Amino acid sequence: MRVLVVEDGSEYSDTLSRFLREGFSWTRAGSGGEALALLGTEEYHAVFLDMRFDRCAPDRLFGNLDEAIDRFNGDPIQARRFLEDHQGTWILAAIRQAGHATPVLFSYDFGSEPRRWERIRARQAPVAWVPGNAGPGEIAVALLALAVP
Amino acid sequence: MWILTLAFALGAEPLPSADALDPLTRSLYLEGRRLAEEGKPAAAVLRFRAVLERDPSWTQAVLDLGQALEATGDVAAAEEVYGRRAFDADAAEALAALLLASGRPADAAAVYGRLRNLRPEWPEAIRLQSLALAAVDPSLADQVFREYLAYPQVDLDADGVAATAIRVVEAHRQAGDNARAAALVDHLVATWPDAAAQTSLRELKEWFDLEDEAAVLAAVGDRPLNVDQVGLLAEARRALAAGDARAARQVLEPLAEENGGIALVWSALAEAREATGDIAGAEQAVGLAERLQPFEWRYPARLAEILSAHYAGRFDSEAAAAAHRAAIAPGAPVGAWHRAGELARIAGDAAAAREAWQHFVQGAPEDPRAADVRTWLAGEERVRPPPPVLPARAERPPDVSDAAWNATWLAIVLHRHANQDPARLHAALDTLAPVRAEAPRFVRAIEVEAALRHDLGEVDRAIALYEESLAVSPGRPEILWMLADLERRRGNPARADARVVEAAAAGSGDALLAQAKTALSAWRPWDARDYLAMYFTGATGGSRTEANRLRAEAERQIRFVHLGSALLALAFATAPVAWWVGRRRGGGIDALLSVAPASWREVARISALIRHEVLKHDTTALDVVADALDRGDPGPAAWAADRLCGPAGAVERFHAAIAELEALGRASGVRLNLRYRDATFGPLLRAFDRLAGLEADLRAGRGAEEVRAVSALLNNEGYRALGRLIHRASRAPIDAAVIRAAWSKAGAIGEPALTLPGELPLVGMFPADLEDVLVNLIRNAASASPPGSRIGVEVDEEEDPITGLSRVVIRVCDEAPRTLSTAAIRGRYIGRGLGLAVDLISRAGGSIHVEDREGWSKAVVVRLPRAESTEEDA
């Protein structure tokens, strides 16, 4: 199963490629743009998507910074942090907008935000999530359940 | 079938009896055999030469002499000796194997050709000939190999067959004949669709498919860079050459995004990422470059260096594989074989290292490194597995027959010549089987079988056999020590430790030193001194130098303990009081929040940091580590020891976050005692203490149960407790009661006109802050409004389609003249109360605008993050 791991660091790709070798091949994308480029050249069975991208260069973040600045009373620092903290949702929207129906597994605890998750799921299916404390085994199960329904 | 054939060739032929010789020749021959078995090949050579002078026609002595010469390293003499029996099949087989191992495949192929005629019933000679030819003439190797495949009893899963196939395929590829390589793979895949070796062959096939894919990409998808982009690439390369990798990366990242099909760009980006510490990113980039241009040797070569340099040995095998791909790529310099050999040796793959370095010395015989490589290869050829030693003939136990005694010898010889070849090991086992049936308590035979099982990878069976031999002949220190080693490798550290104790008690020097070392590492120097005293009074084995070193260390520890005893006594006397006081002083996070409510933001930030950067990124792997330990795989545990307990690891980062919280407390005049007085951080601190204490166990490949227990404390209980704390600190209800309380606090007259939604939302804000915002907005509206005019408060909700987040919208509407505007608020042309509200709103991630509202003169509109209620709230 080919999985595209989209994260700003390398923690997930490092851990997953170490512990889940059999049956999986992992490719890392460090930003939304890189993810779209890879999705355009390779076929993946699933995307494993981190939510927070606070180590990504600002010009590589998806989302409208001007709108975000207005949302935070003209504060560009909070606006950027907002784009970083929720970057995964913009990347997901961009993937769908580019016409890719690849299943996406979020690494984010939506358990405390059920309404928000309902909205995302309704717009961007097929999607699922695993909480941040999920280990490689749980991630593997969730990926298989998502990609091979 | 092949195992049987080989067994017949190697084992079923009886050892030629020396009884037919005259007494002196027989005596010389048997002495030669004994010397050879005792590891004295030079002396054995003299005896065998004397035997052949007396009886030049005896082929067995020729073979024994050749093997003894090989053991002395005199390959040329061994070759000459085997050559004397040019038309004897056994001598020809020995000679061909010698030539092949000596890096003379053409000569080996010729001798195998002769062997085919000498031993026509043995098709294995055909396979070995094709294996030798692969290095010389791939087309001929292919032809010969297909002759071999045509034999009806050939099985792709038989030992060596798939390896030969792959060698021939690789030879085609090295010669640039991809079509013939693909044809052979297709033939094998089609002929043996159910063979286990299909996996390797399919991987090979997949590689060819990748080549096709790359060819397609090269034709239609690999647009060249335009002039500007070429300039950017050149600029990035200049920056890299000047050592400014960050600047290079800034140019290359967007360039790579725009030109995903250009291998050159990814390659340069890999270099920049590696130089800026993004190793996974570098690996990914150069891997992509290799996929885009699989025939370019530099990309797998670079990947090999990244894997070798940055992963502390965890991916040495992958590094060696990448270096091998680089070496076989067309156009690769012959030096690539040298690096492939080095990496294969580091990865512990001696066969691959030998093959790579043979390519290197053949391709670059004059290279300055070739001499060293030849020395290594020569040394490698001489390596033999340590053979089990049989007692002298005179020691034959009375209950073991002559036939069983000789068969045991034969099994030992076969084992000695097996070179880890499973077919030969099985042939030895077959030879030994009747002995084991006839004399089940014959200790030497039991141990020979144990050694064979061990070499076949059947560690459990080997352990059982060694235990069986101990049951017959107990208390042998070397066997107990060996069992300790096997148990440790099997992942049973407790049983291994018990065996070490037994071995030490039986007088094993190695075990006594190991016990002494363990005692010293646990600061039990008196125990260590006792073990060393036992060692010096006559143990067998072990290094005396090491023993002396340990004795010095034990004496040093004893001196240290004596010196510190007085201080420790004093400390013990006062410790209970200090402990009691320490546990009761200070408070938890709630104490801090009650004194300094504004610090909740920092508390939430630090808690989120621990949850996200420490637990989520690192400790969640602990369950998998425990599973691996259960399976006897210590690799993940060693990795976890570095990642969690090493420098800048999870434990260190967690304590840095705790220190930050304590500093926050001190800044507010609160002494935090999180370990003993806080329900969230106390258990976390204790769990991290246990994790730190696990480091030695993790490095030793044990402690699965404790790892699992710590994982539950951190990843389940700790993770959820932090979530609850963050959640609790950052939400406030908004309803009619809250608004009326703020109305009253603002001193407003009358009643607000309230418009509230059916489902009342929670605001993502500290409750006291929300009240301050409402009070100041209402007070501002009331002070500007003419007497008797209305003030309305409306609560609503908005959704963001991308993030899925909701915001609570609070509108405070009035009928006052419109002097306030959004620009005035942003420019801070406002009073102090409204300014405070704006600050609080901004910090909570909200916004404030002045908008039109039908029925009112204006509305001050505040948008704040909506918090969701969960089952835990209920």
Side-chain angles (χ1 to χ4, degrees):
Chain A
M1 179 174 186
R2 279 198 296 278
V3 183
L4 180 63
V5 181
V6 190
E7 59 171 337
D8 55 346
S10 60
E11 291 83 6
Y12 277 120
S13 37
D14 190 14
T15 309
L16 293 172
S17 59
R18 173 167 187 86
F19 289 112
L20 298 176
R21 287 192 189 186
E22 201 148 322
F24 288 91
S25 90
W26 307 93
T27 305
R28 173 191 169 271
S31 67
E34 213 173 283
L36 288 180
L38 287 165
L39 283 167
T41 55
E42 285 263 355
E43 193 179 328
Y44 292 92
H45 297 107
V47 173
F48 184 68
L49 179 57
D50 201 3
M51 176 65 95
R52 195 169 166 198
F53 281 66
D54 55 340
R55 288 167 286 177
C56 192
D59 57 342
R60 296 173 68 202
L61 290 171
F62 282 177
N64 188 323
L65 186 63
D66 290 336
E67 278 179 16
I69 288 174
D70 186 57
R71 183 186 181 117
F72 292 97
N73 272 346
D75 181 349
I77 294 170
Q78 282 209 69
R80 178 182 155 186
R81 191 176 305 152
F82 177 69
L83 293 188
E84 288 170 351
D85 287 350
H86 304 283
Q87 182 62 201
T89 56
W90 270 286
I91 294 175
L92 173 60
I95 288 172
R96 295 290 180 254
Q97 205 171 5
H100 301 295
T102 318
V104 172
L105 181 65
F106 255 120
S107 169
Y108 183 78
D109 197 348
F110 280 104
S112 57
E113 297 172 278
R115 288 159 53 104
R116 180 186 183 193
W117 173 247
E118 240 347 276
R119 280 178 220 125
I120 290 175
R121 199 184 58 75
R123 289 193 185 100
Q124 315 289 18
V127 284
W129 61 271
V130 287
N133 61 345
E138 292 155 79
I139 291 172
V141 170
L143 280 170
L144 288 169
L146 184 63
V148 191
Chain B
M1 174 64 83
W2 273 113
I3 290 169
L4 289 176
T5 309
L6 193 62
F8 174 77
L10 293 171
E13 188 176 327
L15 189 68
S17 166
D19 293 337
L21 300 170
D22 67 76
L24 178 57
T25 311
R26 181 173 175 276
S27 162
L28 280 168
Y29 175 72
L30 291 177
E31 196 183 356
R33 294 286 298 224
R34 182 180 59 77
L35 289 165
E37 298 298 347
E38 285 175 0
K40 297 171 182 167
V45 164
L46 293 176
R47 305 302 187 283
F48 291 137
R49 282 198 193 283
V51 168
L52 285 171
E53 274 174 23
R54 297 177 65 80
D55 187 350
S57 64
W58 198 28
T59 302
Q60 183 57 41
V62 172
L63 294 176
D64 284 279
L65 175 59
Q67 283 164 5
L69 285 166
E70 276 191 71
T72 63
D74 194 347
V75 173
E79 187 184 342
E80 185 272 331
V81 165
Y82 292 138
R84 287 186 208 163
R85 291 287 182 282
F87 296 100
D88 179 84
D90 292 337
E93 189 190 355
L95 177 59
L98 175 69
L99 291 168
L100 193 58
S102 306
R104 289 163 59 192
D107 295 340
V111 178
Y112 278 128
R114 198 165 72 223
L115 183 59
R116 288 176 60 177
N117 294 322
L118 294 171
R119 208 185 268 161
E121 78 285 0
W122 196 54
E124 193 68 5
I126 308 175
R127 182 183 71 77
L128 291 166
Q129 187 188 23
S130 74
L131 188 65
L133 281 168
V136 182
D137 184 340
S139 297
L140 190 54
D142 191 305
Q143 186 188 324
V144 171
F145 188 55
R146 283 173 188 262
E147 279 177 46
Y148 169 74
L149 295 176
Y151 275 75
Q153 68 267 50
V154 165
D155 179 359
L156 188 59
D157 281 335
D159 292 306
V161 180
T164 306
I166 289 170
R167 183 69 196 94
V168 176
V169 168
E170 283 179 342
H172 281 315
R173 293 195 57 239
Q174 282 160 19
D177 194 347
N178 286 348
R180 200 170 286 190
L184 182 54
V185 172
D186 286 341
H187 173 69
L188 294 165
V189 168
T191 313
W192 287 278
D194 300 316
Q198 284 284 335
T199 309
S200 351
L201 290 166
R202 282 189 197 287
E203 280 171 8
L204 216 56
K205 185 77 171 58
E206 207 168 275
W207 174 251
F208 294 139
D209 292 341
L210 277 176
E211 285 177 352
D212 293 340
E213 190 179 328
V216 172
L217 182 59
V220 300
D222 197 11
R223 287 194 304 273
L225 298 171
N226 64 34
V227 175
D228 292 341
Q229 290 166 332
V230 169
L232 285 172
L233 184 56
E235 180 191 332
R237 287 200 174 284
R238 279 196 297 277
L240 274 172
D244 190 354
R246 288 193 185 286
R249 197 168 166 183
Q250 276 180 354
V251 173
L252 288 166
E253 293 283 5
L255 196 57
E257 280 185 18
E258 289 165 23
N259 300 278
I262 307 286
L264 263 182
V265 175
W266 286 106
S267 161
L269 181 56
E271 203 177 326
R273 282 179 175 173
E274 187 187 5
T276 51
D278 180 4
I279 305 307
E283 188 183 331
Q284 178 255 318
V286 77
L288 194 58
E290 187 189 354
R291 287 176 119 177
L292 289 165
Q293 280 193 14
F295 293 112
E296 173 53 62
W297 69 275
R298 287 177 184 81
Y299 302 147
R302 188 70 227 135
L303 180 61
E305 297 308 325
I306 290 171
L307 292 171
S308 165
H310 296 291
Y311 289 99
R314 298 202 305 280
F315 298 114
D316 279 349
S317 298
E318 287 85 341
H324 185 260
R325 289 203 302 279
I328 61 173
V334 72
W337 279 117
H338 184 266
R339 187 59 179 146
E342 277 186 325
L343 289 175
R345 189 172 58 82
I346 290 167
D349 188 348
R354 188 163 49 241
E355 187 192 336
W357 276 348
Q358 280 169 349
H359 278 292
F360 174 67
V361 291
Q362 281 166 14
E366 304 302 323
D367 190 288
R369 295 167 293 181
D372 287 344
V373 169
R374 280 194 202 95
T375 306
W376 185 89
L377 286 171
E380 182 69 6
E381 300 310 336
R382 279 200 294 275
V383 169
R384 293 284 185 278
V389 178
L390 278 178
R393 189 180 175 84
E395 293 174 20
R396 176 170 65 86
D399 57 340
V400 176
S401 70
D402 266 352
W405 180 251
N406 287 336
T408 308
W409 273 81
L410 182 57
I412 292 172
V413 171
L414 289 171
H415 183 210
R416 179 168 291 188
H417 290 270
N419 277 335
Q420 308 292 333
D421 178 347
R424 287 170 182 248
L425 293 169
H426 279 294
L429 278 175
D430 291 344
T431 306
L432 199 61
V435 183
R436 297 281 291 116
E438 179 194 308
R441 290 173 61 80
F442 180 20
V443 168
R444 194 59 76 182
I446 298 172
E447 286 171 6
V448 173
E449 185 181 349
L452 289 164
R453 297 284 179 196
H454 170 265
D455 285 4
L456 282 165
E458 299 170 22
V459 177
D460 290 351
R461 181 78 183 115
I463 287 175
L465 284 162
Y466 280 124
E467 284 172 343
E468 192 182 326
S469 95
L470 275 180
V472 178
S473 172
R476 278 168 304 142
E478 72 282 1
I479 300 297
L480 289 164
W481 175 245
M482 192 184 309
L483 274 171
D485 181 48
L486 290 175
E487 291 288 7
R488 199 174 307 285
R489 279 159 52 193
R490 192 165 63 163
N492 282 335
R495 287 175 68 95
D497 290 346
R499 284 297 186 196
V500 170
V501 171
E502 286 180 58
S508 161
D510 289 308
L512 285 166
L513 294 184
Q515 289 285 82
K517 204 179 285 182
T518 306
L520 285 173
S521 65
W523 275 80
R524 291 186 284 110
W526 286 275
D527 289 351
R529 197 161 63 175
D530 290 346
Y531 288 125
L532 290 166
M534 286 164 69
Y535 174 83
F536 283 110
T537 51
T540 56
S543 155
R544 208 165 180 83
T545 311
E546 174 70 355
N548 281 324
R549 192 188 68 73
L550 292 173
R551 184 159 61 179
E553 173 63 15
E555 296 305 327
R556 193 188 67 77
Q557 283 193 8
I558 287 169
R559 281 197 301 279
F560 186 87
V561 171
H562 281 152
L563 190 69
S565 296
L567 290 172
L568 276 175
L570 186 66
F572 277 127
T574 55
V577 177
W579 178 81
W580 188 85
V581 171
R583 280 179 71 99
R584 276 153 186 77
R585 283 182 63 199
I589 288 296
D590 285 342
L592 171 65
L593 293 176
S594 67
V595 172
S599 62
W600 71 267
R601 282 182 211 90
E602 277 300 290
V603 170
R605 181 187 67 76
I606 296 168
S607 303
L609 185 137
I610 294 172
R611 201 167 183 251
H612 187 84
E613 305 290 342
V614 180
L615 301 186
K616 177 177 167 183
H617 277 169
D618 288 329
T619 62
T620 46
L622 280 171
D623 279 334
V624 191
V625 169
D627 292 345
L629 284 173
D630 282 344
R631 287 194 311 274
D633 174 9
W639 170 87
D642 288 340
R643 178 92 167 232
L644 305 181
C645 308
V651 173
E652 199 172 302
R653 280 182 280 126
F654 170 73
H655 283 293
I658 291 293
E660 208 177 337
L661 280 174
E662 287 167 348
L664 186 65
R666 282 194 295 279
S668 306
V670 176
R671 184 187 185 282
L672 287 180
N673 183 351
L674 298 176
R675 183 176 289 278
Y676 296 113
R677 305 298 295 271
D678 190 89
T680 301
F681 290 100
L684 270 172
L685 275 158
R686 287 187 283 281
F688 269 98
D689 286 348
R690 286 173 68 174
L691 178 59
L694 264 174
E695 181 176 1
D697 280 350
L698 288 170
R699 294 199 189 283
R702 62 185 178 226
E705 210 167 301
E706 174 69 354
V707 169
R708 213 167 264 123
V710 171
S711 174
L713 290 173
L714 293 174
N715 302 323
N716 298 337
E717 294 167 27
Y719 187 84
R720 279 203 291 269
L722 284 170
R724 282 194 297 272
L725 177 65
I726 296 163
H727 220 55
R728 180 162 60 88
S730 55
R731 57 230 222 103
I734 183 162
D735 53 21
V738 168
I739 296 168
R740 286 205 176 91
W743 181 270
S744 164
K745 217 166 177 177
I749 298 166
E751 277 286 317
L754 293 180
T755 310
L756 300 175
E759 187 189 346
L760 289 164
L762 283 169
V763 181
M765 196 175 201
F766 194 58
D769 286 356
L770 178 62
E771 188 184 61
D772 280 349
V773 167
L774 289 171
V775 167
N776 281 298
L777 292 181
I778 292 167
R779 186 180 288 148
N780 196 63
S783 63
S785 297
S789 59
R790 296 174 305 147
I791 293 175
V793 179
E794 300 175 4
V795 177
D796 203 352
E797 203 174 327
E798 281 179 359
E799 281 178 18
D800 176 25
I802 301 288
T803 62
L805 291 165
S806 288
R807 287 190 292 181
V808 178
V809 185
I810 304 168
R811 291 188 183 82
V812 178
C813 312
D814 62 40
E815 296 174 324
R818 188 160 177 170
T819 54
L820 189 65
S821 66
T822 303
I825 291 172
R826 294 268 165 93
R828 309 295 272 187
Y829 301 113
I830 49 178
R832 193 172 157 216
L834 189 54
L836 172 69
V838 172
D839 285 345
L840 293 172
I841 291 162
S842 295
R843 275 190 222 145
S847 69
I848 179 166
H849 294 82
V850 179
E851 295 174 4
D852 292 331
R853 187 73 176 162
E854 197 178 338
W856 303 90
S857 73
K858 69 171 185 301
V860 177
V861 185
V862 173
R863 290 179 175 84
L864 289 163
R866 185 201 199 282
E868 292 198 37
S869 55
T870 62
E871 286 174 12
E872 283 183 3
D873 299 325

